[in-house]
Amino acid sequence: MKTNGTVVFQSDFGLVDGAVAAMYGVAHAVSPDLKLYDLTHEIPQFDIWEASYRLIQTVEYWAPGTVFVSVVDPGVGTDRKSVAVLTKTGHYIVTPDNGTLTHVAQTLGIAERHEIEEAENRLKDSQHSYTFHGRDIYAYTGARLAAGLINLAGIGKKLLSDDSFVHPYTPAIITGGVIEASVDILDARYGSLWTNCPRDLFSEIGVKYGEYVGVRITHHGRIVYGNDLKYGKSFSDVNVGATLVYINSLLNVGVAINQGNFAKAHDVGAGREWLIRFEQTVGPWSIR
Amino acid sequence: MKTNGTVVFQSDFGLVDGAVAAMYGVAHAVSPDLKLYDLTHEIPQFDIWEASYRLIQTVEYWAPGTVFVSVVDPGVGTDRKSVAVLTKTGHYIVTPDNGTLTHVAQTLGIAERHEIEEAENRLKDSQHSYTFHGRDIYAYTGARLAAGLINLAGIGKKLLSDDSFVHPYTPAIITGGVIEASVDILDARYGSLWTNCPRDLFSEIGVKYGEYVGVRITHHGRIVYGNDLKYGKSFSDVNVGATLVYINSLLNVGVAINQGNFAKAHDVGAGREWLIRFEQTVGPWSIR
Amino acid sequence: MKTNGTVVFQSDFGLVDGAVAAMYGVAHAVSPDLKLYDLTHEIPQFDIWEASYRLIQTVEYWAPGTVFVSVVDPGVGTDRKSVAVLTKTGHYIVTPDNGTLTHVAQTLGIAERHEIEEAENRLKDSQHSYTFHGRDIYAYTGARLAAGLINLAGIGKKLLSDDSFVHPYTPAIITGGVIEASVDILDARYGSLWTNCPRDLFSEIGVKYGEYVGVRITHHGRIVYGNDLKYGKSFSDVNVGATLVYINSLLNVGVAINQGNFAKAHDVGAGREWLIRFEQTVGPWSIR
């Protein structure tokens, strides 16, 4: 897959200082013709899981050949690898191999994976800088890859494509009409739960739009929420302030309060310890 | 008016997750040559009034032919229309027709208005996604419009240009030397009041730079603030911490504290219920 | 130095309203071919010192010929000058001459300096707007400079290059094996201290990676922090939660807590009143 001259940056640097602008400067100096965009720079500090999720929220909407540079790097200076990968969807990701590729490996698949040879692929005169690989290694290498000045082979030695460092991840399963899934992430600003249960799996429990689904959320064995919720096409299928189950924009099952914040209302977080169960139910507030 | 290959995005999505980047990806995939920029993504959630105002704060500073995509859409999934309009100033706006065009209709005027035929103008394979029209409909359609792949006629059937859904809006008036206006919006970070009283109307009460103007703010009949303020050219015409009346960057009357926050200091909000009266006065702290 | 068609914006406007987008619109209308990027718009309100620092954090990473437009302008409307300067590194900066060039003058050097003739270099029809020079003067002039429509001579009369308005600034010095420096800025999101002591000066006290350095921070004579800290290459050379001295990404000495926030933990601020002393020490927790 040829790169297409576009770099999309993600980090946990925030936008309040010059860190992101320094990465942009490096990329622009590699080639002023590159198109430079942001995924987000507001990943919570050191939150590799969220960085991993934001990639699958966006990567596939960009044209194949786009290069993503993701820098959430609590281990800068350790022996964590720096890699450039090509996904099976034709997108490139340049990142520390520290779990950032967890969801990408799981849902898009990794076709090719190379370790960045840092001695060569490093901003000129940056050899005494040990704390900002985002600028010195990742932005520089991602930009050279996007500009076609280098290819994966030139970046460094080929590694096993399936051997990325990933966090444990349990896909949703269905057993006897009951789906066991997890809350993969929160839809940050709106507080909706985004689960890892795909629409196709959900359809197997046979609930139709307008009908009710039994929802139970647990955290380390404790029941945090249990209720029967309407399954709607969109938020407007319930009243403002009412709760619903819906299919989110990534075609996974979500749980939300229309114009409210479900996560805040019920103190629910995200990650594989936040389990969520769906099953058919005869109606709202049924005894179970 | 030919579009000029530029899309400017506005939303209430914030920048902490991948929602904006997904819209950018869709637009970039429509045509990598598009120029993609932001108005803001920090519109308070579901605040259509503020989205409406931010358009008139910016649209005219962009070249005619620029396409704005504005997505503050609490009614996604209802029967609110999706439209693309051409303003009388030659700018395009693609948006849910939910009040977002209130100020644009009032101050720029709408020359042409088309309903987006969503069955055709929709991101490929997005038919099962009902909650993210920003990505699936508006970014996609705005990008195609900006890239010249489609024109207004191709977007959908022509509607009456003057028939946008708008919020009630009362322009400022002058009666017997007294101006009755409203606080249209707050200058967010600085806390200044931006009223809907144009400079030309204000000049009719005959106050000159350096002279004083009587200001009274009411909210649902209650007097929130009443004082005689200096009319300055710029903040620096009064001491740091002092209050002034001035002409803001949109050539409307503003009220501010030099390097302070008027809205916070006096607990003033914005919207048509926040009335503000201006009249000539003989000097500061005069009896009235 | 020819400009390269790129403008990088900095301000204290924030991104919540349309101010930045209005500047972008003006620049884009000057020439749609310009490449427009951000340094940051989250400079704390009116904080000229921080604006000054963010320039040296980033300018040199951009290609020579890039034009920076920096607008932190509490004195809009006063007689503070508006200038365009060319640095000795070949970068342009368009800004109010209010101290924003303090660090640039000190570390990059100013080769040429011109006062903006505001009557001519002003957005068309903006003569009644006195409060938004960012849009009407700086963005407009910076864009015309970047697009090659004007050069420094066309901007206005040449001033003495060394005569910018700058804040007092004391470089780090070494006396008898003791370095006296100051905390130049905080690494905002991570809370690390970034001092003005360059790596080369620090090396003169003879501390090697893995050894300890005596650190003392004072504020107006009061000792705020005093301890012996490990000198590490990178954060990972100490445990999570442990404190270290390191060389930051600008090759100055930094003080940080690995994955913590040193500034918050010890209530340390930045600026020339925050003094920091480094000296060799025999080991951790030595008596002094």
Side-chain angles (χ1 to χ4, degrees):
Chain A
M1 172 59 58
K2 236 172 130 316
T3 55
N4 66 11
T6 305
V7 183
V8 181
F9 292 94
Q10 170 170 270
S11 78
D12 61 351
F13 302 158
L15 293 168
V16 304
D17 64 22
V20 170
M23 294 200 298
Y24 265 65
V26 165
H28 177 268
V30 163
S31 165
D33 295 330
L34 288 174
K35 290 169 193 304
L36 307 178
Y37 295 110
D38 292 323
L39 202 173
T40 178
H41 295 283
E42 304 291 346
I43 297 291
Q45 273 172 66
F46 313 126
D47 191 335
I48 291 167
W49 179 271
E50 182 147 341
S52 170
Y53 195 90
R54 296 308 171 201
L55 286 171
I56 58 157
Q57 189 185 351
T58 52
V59 162
E60 282 193 282
Y61 294 97
W62 291 81
T66 299
V67 175
F68 293 79
V69 170
S70 178
V71 191
V72 176
D73 192 17
V76 62
T78 66
D79 59 359
R80 60 98 184 91
K81 284 189 178 67
S82 293
V83 297
V85 303
L86 173 63
T87 68
K88 288 183 178 162
T89 54
H91 301 90
Y92 290 86
I93 306 174
V94 179
T95 182
D97 193 17
N98 58 7
T100 296
L101 296 169
T102 298
H103 289 85
V104 164
Q106 177 80 22
T107 67
L108 308 184
I110 292 177
E112 211 170 319
R113 177 166 162 264
H114 290 251
E115 179 167 5
I116 300 177
E117 177 46 71
E118 298 189 1
E120 283 175 26
N121 292 294
R122 169 181 266 284
L123 182 64
K124 202 167 152 279
D125 295 331
S126 72
Q127 68 275 9
H128 296 301
S129 165
Y130 297 105
T131 57
F132 195 3
H133 285 186
R135 179 192 70 193
D136 301 334
I137 309 274
Y138 301 119
Y140 178 74
T141 300
R144 299 221 307 154
L145 186 62
L149 300 175
I150 196 173
N151 60 17
L152 281 183
I155 278 178
K157 72 165 185 281
K158 194 169 176 171
L159 303 173
L160 285 175
S161 63
D162 283 346
D163 205 29
S164 281
F165 179 86
V166 293
H167 288 289
Y169 187 86
T170 315
I173 52 162
I174 184 166
T175 323
V178 176
I179 292 171
E180 299 278 358
S182 59
V183 179
D184 229 354
I185 203 87
L186 302 181
D187 184 14
R189 209 178 195 196
Y190 298 89
S192 308
L193 313 186
W194 283 16
T195 76
N196 68 345
C197 174
R199 176 180 174 274
D200 289 347
L201 184 66
F202 186 73
S203 70
E204 292 185 26
I205 63 172
V207 178
K208 290 185 184 51
Y209 288 129
E211 294 181 352
Y212 283 76
V213 51
V215 175
R216 200 177 73 183
I217 302 170
T218 56
H219 188 230
H220 295 307
R222 183 175 63 89
I223 296 180
V224 174
Y225 183 85
N227 212 341
D228 293 348
L229 300 179
K230 194 168 173 186
Y231 174 40
K233 253 194 185 180
S234 187
F235 305 116
S236 57
D237 287 347
V238 300
N239 289 330
V240 171
T243 307
L244 80 159
V245 167
Y246 70 108
I247 302 300
N248 74 8
S249 57
L250 300 180
L251 303 188
N252 293 319
V253 179
V255 180
I257 296 175
N258 184 18
Q259 299 190 31
N261 187 310
F262 188 95
K264 232 183 244 175
H266 302 288
D267 216 7
V268 175
R272 59 194 292 268
E273 298 83 14
W274 289 91
L275 300 178
I276 187 163
R277 205 174 81 173
F278 300 111
E279 61 187 311
Q280 211 175 21
T281 181
V282 295
W285 303 289
S286 65
I287 310 300
R288 42 186 58 219
Chain B
M1 173 59 59
K2 235 171 132 315
T3 54
N4 66 12
T6 304
V7 183
V8 180
F9 292 94
Q10 171 170 270
S11 77
D12 62 351
F13 301 158
L15 294 168
V16 304
D17 65 21
V20 171
M23 293 200 298
Y24 265 66
V26 165
H28 177 268
V30 163
S31 165
D33 296 330
L34 288 174
K35 290 169 193 304
L36 308 177
Y37 295 110
D38 293 321
L39 201 173
T40 178
H41 296 285
E42 303 291 346
I43 297 291
Q45 273 173 67
F46 313 125
D47 191 334
I48 291 167
W49 179 270
E50 182 147 342
S52 170
Y53 194 90
R54 297 307 171 201
L55 286 171
I56 57 156
Q57 188 185 352
T58 50
V59 163
E60 282 193 282
Y61 294 96
W62 291 80
T66 300
V67 175
F68 293 79
V69 170
S70 179
V71 192
V72 177
D73 192 18
V76 62
T78 67
D79 60 359
R80 61 98 184 91
K81 284 190 179 67
S82 294
V83 297
V85 304
L86 173 64
T87 68
K88 288 184 179 162
T89 54
H91 301 90
Y92 291 85
I93 306 173
V94 179
T95 182
D97 193 18
N98 58 6
T100 296
L101 295 169
T102 297
H103 289 86
V104 164
Q106 178 79 22
T107 69
L108 309 185
I110 292 177
E112 211 170 319
R113 178 166 161 263
H114 290 251
E115 180 167 5
I116 300 176
E117 177 47 71
E118 298 189 1
E120 283 175 27
N121 293 293
R122 170 182 265 284
L123 181 63
K124 203 166 152 283
D125 294 332
S126 71
Q127 68 276 9
H128 295 301
S129 165
Y130 297 104
T131 58
F132 195 3
H133 284 186
R135 180 192 68 192
D136 301 335
I137 308 274
Y138 301 120
Y140 178 74
T141 300
R144 300 220 309 153
L145 186 60
L149 300 176
I150 197 173
N151 60 16
L152 281 183
I155 279 178
K157 73 165 184 280
K158 194 169 177 170
L159 304 173
L160 286 175
S161 63
D162 285 344
D163 205 30
S164 281
F165 179 86
V166 293
H167 288 290
Y169 187 87
T170 315
I173 53 162
I174 184 165
T175 323
V178 176
I179 292 170
E180 300 278 359
S182 59
V183 180
D184 229 354
I185 202 88
L186 302 181
D187 183 15
R189 209 178 195 197
Y190 298 89
S192 307
L193 313 186
W194 283 16
T195 77
N196 68 346
C197 174
R199 176 181 174 273
D200 289 346
L201 184 67
F202 186 73
S203 70
E204 292 185 25
I205 62 171
V207 178
K208 290 184 185 53
Y209 288 130
E211 294 180 353
Y212 283 76
V213 51
V215 175
R216 201 176 71 183
I217 301 169
T218 55
H219 189 230
H220 296 307
R222 183 174 63 88
I223 297 181
V224 175
Y225 183 85
N227 211 342
D228 293 348
L229 300 179
K230 195 168 172 184
Y231 174 41
K233 253 193 184 181
S234 186
F235 305 116
S236 57
D237 287 348
V238 299
N239 290 330
V240 171
T243 307
L244 81 159
V245 168
Y246 69 107
I247 302 300
N248 74 8
S249 57
L250 299 180
L251 302 188
N252 293 321
V253 179
V255 180
I257 297 176
N258 184 18
Q259 298 189 31
N261 188 311
F262 187 96
K264 233 184 246 176
H266 303 289
D267 217 6
V268 175
R272 59 194 292 268
E273 299 83 13
W274 289 91
L275 301 178
I276 187 163
R277 204 174 82 173
F278 301 112
E279 62 186 311
Q280 210 175 21
T281 181
V282 295
W285 303 288
S286 65
I287 310 300
R288 43 185 60 219
Chain C
M1 172 59 60
K2 235 170 131 318
T3 54
N4 66 11
T6 305
V7 183
V8 180
F9 292 94
Q10 170 170 272
S11 77
D12 61 351
F13 301 158
L15 294 168
V16 304
D17 64 23
V20 170
M23 293 200 297
Y24 265 65
V26 166
H28 177 268
V30 164
S31 165
D33 296 328
L34 288 173
K35 289 167 194 304
L36 308 177
Y37 296 109
D38 293 322
L39 202 173
T40 178
H41 295 284
E42 303 291 346
I43 297 291
Q45 272 173 66
F46 313 126
D47 191 335
I48 291 168
W49 179 271
E50 181 147 341
S52 170
Y53 195 89
R54 297 305 171 204
L55 286 172
I56 57 156
Q57 189 185 352
T58 51
V59 163
E60 283 193 281
Y61 294 96
W62 291 80
T66 300
V67 175
F68 293 79
V69 170
S70 178
V71 192
V72 176
D73 192 17
V76 63
T78 67
D79 59 0
R80 61 96 183 93
K81 285 189 176 66
S82 293
V83 297
V85 304
L86 174 63
T87 68
K88 288 184 178 162
T89 54
H91 300 91
Y92 291 85
I93 306 173
V94 179
T95 182
D97 193 17
N98 58 6
T100 297
L101 295 169
T102 297
H103 289 86
V104 164
Q106 177 79 23
T107 67
L108 308 185
I110 292 177
E112 211 171 320
R113 177 166 162 264
H114 289 251
E115 180 167 3
I116 300 176
E117 177 46 70
E118 299 189 0
E120 283 176 27
N121 292 293
R122 170 181 264 285
L123 182 64
K124 202 166 154 282
D125 295 332
S126 72
Q127 68 276 9
H128 296 301
S129 166
Y130 297 104
T131 58
F132 195 3
H133 285 186
R135 180 192 70 192
D136 301 335
I137 308 274
Y138 301 119
Y140 179 73
T141 300
R144 300 221 308 153
L145 186 60
L149 300 175
I150 197 172
N151 60 16
L152 281 183
I155 278 178
K157 71 165 186 280
K158 193 169 177 171
L159 304 173
L160 286 175
S161 63
D162 284 346
D163 204 31
S164 282
F165 179 86
V166 293
H167 288 289
Y169 187 86
T170 314
I173 52 163
I174 183 166
T175 323
V178 176
I179 291 171
E180 298 279 358
S182 60
V183 179
D184 230 354
I185 202 88
L186 302 181
D187 183 15
R189 208 177 196 197
Y190 297 89
S192 308
L193 313 186
W194 283 16
T195 77
N196 69 345
C197 175
R199 176 180 174 274
D200 289 346
L201 184 67
F202 186 73
S203 69
E204 292 186 25
I205 63 171
V207 178
K208 290 184 184 51
Y209 287 131
E211 294 181 352
Y212 283 76
V213 50
V215 176
R216 200 176 73 183
I217 302 170
T218 56
H219 189 230
H220 296 307
R222 184 174 61 89
I223 297 180
V224 174
Y225 183 84
N227 211 342
D228 294 348
L229 300 179
K230 195 169 173 183
Y231 175 40
K233 253 193 184 179
S234 186
F235 306 116
S236 57
D237 287 348
V238 299
N239 290 330
V240 171
T243 307
L244 81 159
V245 168
Y246 69 107
I247 302 299
N248 74 8
S249 58
L250 299 181
L251 302 189
N252 292 320
V253 179
V255 180
I257 297 174
N258 184 17
Q259 298 191 30
N261 188 310
F262 187 96
K264 231 183 245 175
H266 303 289
D267 216 7
V268 174
R272 59 193 291 269
E273 299 82 15
W274 289 90
L275 301 178
I276 186 163
R277 204 173 82 173
F278 300 112
E279 61 186 312
Q280 210 175 21
T281 182
V282 295
W285 302 289
S286 64
I287 310 301
R288 44 185 58 218

